[in-house]
Amino acid sequence: METHRLLTLLGVVLLIATIAIFYLDEEKPQDEFSFAYVTGISMIVVFLASLAIVNKGKFKEKSKN
């Protein structure tokens, strides 16, 4: 599998984990840290890396012109 597809698949898994952690958390304290933040930020980073890999060739073409 290509790298960007693996990253996209990992991003989807992190999205599902984020939603599951957020909604299945029994106690929802307003002042404490939620682990859904960690998976959510990780998901965004993985999706951005996948997007950068997919568009890597387009960035190179624009810099040559």
Side-chain angles (χ1 to χ4, degrees):
M1 241 183 179
E2 297 178 33
T3 305
H4 68 90
R5 289 185 188 215
L6 288 173
L7 287 174
T8 303
L9 183 61
L10 178 62
V12 170
V13 169
L14 286 171
L15 173 65
I16 293 168
T18 302
I19 292 170
I21 290 170
F22 182 75
Y23 285 112
L24 296 178
D25 193 13
E26 293 290 326
E27 300 174 14
K28 294 191 179 187
Q30 298 297 323
D31 298 334
E32 292 186 21
F33 181 76
S34 174
F35 288 106
Y37 296 144
V38 175
T39 56
I41 292 170
S42 301
M43 173 194 62
I44 291 170
V45 169
V46 168
F47 278 138
L48 287 175
S50 176
L51 182 67
I53 290 172
V54 168
N55 292 320
K56 180 174 46 175
K58 293 180 184 178
F59 292 140
K60 288 181 182 178
E61 290 175 8
K62 288 183 180 181
S63 64
K64 288 181 181 179
N65 291 334

